[in-house]
Amino acid sequence: MAETTHARVVIIGSGPAGYTAAVYAARAMLEPVLIQGIQPGGQLTITTEVENYPGFAEPIQGPWLMEQMQKQAEHVGTRIVTDHVNSVDLGRRPFRLVCDSGDVYLADVLIVATGAQARWLGLPSEDTYKGYGVSACATCDGFFYRGKEVVVVGGGNSAVEEALFLTNFASKVTVVHRRDAFRAEKILQDRLFKNPKVEVIWNSAVDEIVGTAAPGKVTGVRLRDVQTGATRDLAADGVFVAIGHAPATALFTGQLELKPSGYIKVAPYSTATSVPGVFAAGDVADDIYRQAVTAAGMGCMAALEAERFLAAHAETRAAAE
């Protein structure tokens, strides 16, 4: 039988933002409920080595880090729910959430931490080498390619920025773009074209990522000229897919104000959204940094703001009574 649960704070999402919000909310005695979603742990669960999360002298495994965050959230009193939210009604109070299981959650405050997913090429070989030479985050993984040759796929700001960042480590960066001109800002293009480590291959698409099975390792890409159809192989030690990110905001379209990029719009220096009592943290609201540590920081902010919101409304009710 489906159940209805009323909670002071409900958190949707189980990445660094969601778990950090849960830790802070639980320690504030708000008894939060965290609904994990279809990918518990978020993007870090498909990240092998993590070197840039503070507090660890040696590289750690992404899945292990998320397990520790979940255990910490549970330890301080968070109720973790393995379910997926299908619909949200933000037009009534308490907010109403309906899950896959049929269970309903009523929330006085809602923290949205549903994250964003990198857009991928959709190649079977891409899935094979994710975490073994295929990445969607140069900031996360560029350090591992010191003195090596890498390929960046894309033509927008993200691709050019990733390529420029990678020149700090790689001996050569080849940017592959399926058109004959970039969509990136002119100033970024100028920096890219002036960099001696960068080569651009125009009018080309990646048809396959080539590598070895044991151990799993990228050795190159198979390129196809989109005008002639001719193919050729290009040697590379790593492939960075930079064709954008898709924030998980479908539940909130028409209910929360979104940026033109599709991310949830929050107030400056805040996680407050266009609906009072709804806060957004992590990659679902961050289209600039998209790092685990910044997501965790926003999760902290959201929980602190949620606590203040509930306290203010309790005082208002008390005064009215």
Side-chain angles (χ1 to χ4, degrees):
M1 293 290 293
E3 297 182 358
T4 298
T5 301
H6 189 167
R8 299 183 73 190
V9 176
V10 173
I11 301 162
I12 309 177
S14 55
Y19 283 137
T20 305
V23 167
Y24 274 81
R27 295 186 75 251
M29 308 302 290
L30 298 179
E31 300 178 330
V33 173
L34 183 148
I35 304 172
Q36 290 183 307
I38 58 175
Q39 188 183 0
Q43 294 185 71
L44 277 182
T45 58
I46 58 171
T47 303
T48 49
E49 290 194 339
V50 177
E51 269 194 333
N52 57 0
Y53 198 85
F56 302 95
E58 301 293 331
I60 56 175
Q61 298 295 303
W64 177 86
L65 178 60
M66 299 319 303
E67 287 173 7
Q68 296 303 303
M69 286 192 186
Q70 177 176 338
K71 289 177 181 178
Q72 184 181 14
E74 291 174 318
H75 174 73
V76 294
T78 304
R79 178 186 168 192
I80 305 290
V81 176
T82 303
D83 210 338
H84 176 66
V85 178
N86 279 336
S87 65
V88 173
D89 184 354
L90 304 181
R92 65 171 78 181
R93 293 183 184 276
F95 306 123
R96 190 172 191 270
L97 292 70
V98 181
C99 293
D100 260 349
S101 63
D103 289 345
V104 174
Y105 292 86
L106 304 177
D108 295 331
V109 163
L110 179 63
I111 296 177
V112 180
T114 48
Q117 292 289 336
R119 292 190 175 98
W120 297 97
L121 301 172
L123 305 172
S125 55
E126 180 182 54
D127 288 333
T128 300
Y129 293 107
K130 281 180 185 175
Y132 298 95
V134 173
S135 172
C137 180
T139 306
C140 309
D141 299 325
F143 183 75
F144 300 113
Y145 293 90
R146 287 170 294 178
K148 298 183 178 181
E149 297 187 2
V150 298
V151 167
V152 175
V153 184
N157 281 352
S158 294
V160 174
E161 287 171 347
E162 297 268 279
L164 286 168
F165 179 80
L166 287 165
T167 61
N168 294 315
F169 309 99
S171 60
K172 182 179 180 181
V173 178
T174 302
V175 182
V176 176
H177 187 38
R178 62 185 306 115
R179 296 183 176 86
D180 60 1
F182 287 134
R183 291 170 284 111
E185 296 173 9
K186 187 66 165 58
I187 189 170
L188 292 175
Q189 294 189 45
D190 289 344
R191 290 176 191 163
L192 188 79
F193 295 140
K194 289 176 182 176
N195 195 303
K197 286 188 175 182
V198 175
E199 178 185 350
V200 180
I201 298 179
W202 304 107
N203 299 312
S204 294
V206 174
D207 268 4
E208 185 180 355
I209 294 167
V210 182
T212 59
K217 180 183 176 183
V218 167
T219 58
V221 293
R222 183 156 297 134
L223 301 179
R224 174 176 48 83
D225 188 304
V226 297
Q227 295 179 330
T228 67
T231 62
R232 64 175 171 124
D233 287 353
L234 176 69
D237 300 295
V239 178
F240 289 82
V241 180
I243 55 177
H245 285 71
T249 55
L251 281 173
F252 311 103
T253 302
Q255 300 194 75
L256 292 177
E257 185 178 356
L258 305 180
K259 300 177 184 179
S261 56
Y263 291 75
I264 295 176
K265 185 176 182 179
V266 294
Y269 309 108
S270 171
T271 62
T273 70
S274 58
V275 174
V278 179
F279 303 90
D283 287 10
V284 73
D286 176 14
D287 55 354
I288 299 174
Y289 303 106
R290 295 194 296 265
Q291 299 299 303
V293 67
T294 51
M298 290 184 73
C300 166
M301 291 168 59
L304 294 176
E305 290 184 287
E307 180 185 6
R308 293 167 187 163
F309 178 88
L310 289 169
H313 280 256
E315 291 173 3
T316 302
R317 283 197 300 270
E321 293 171 357

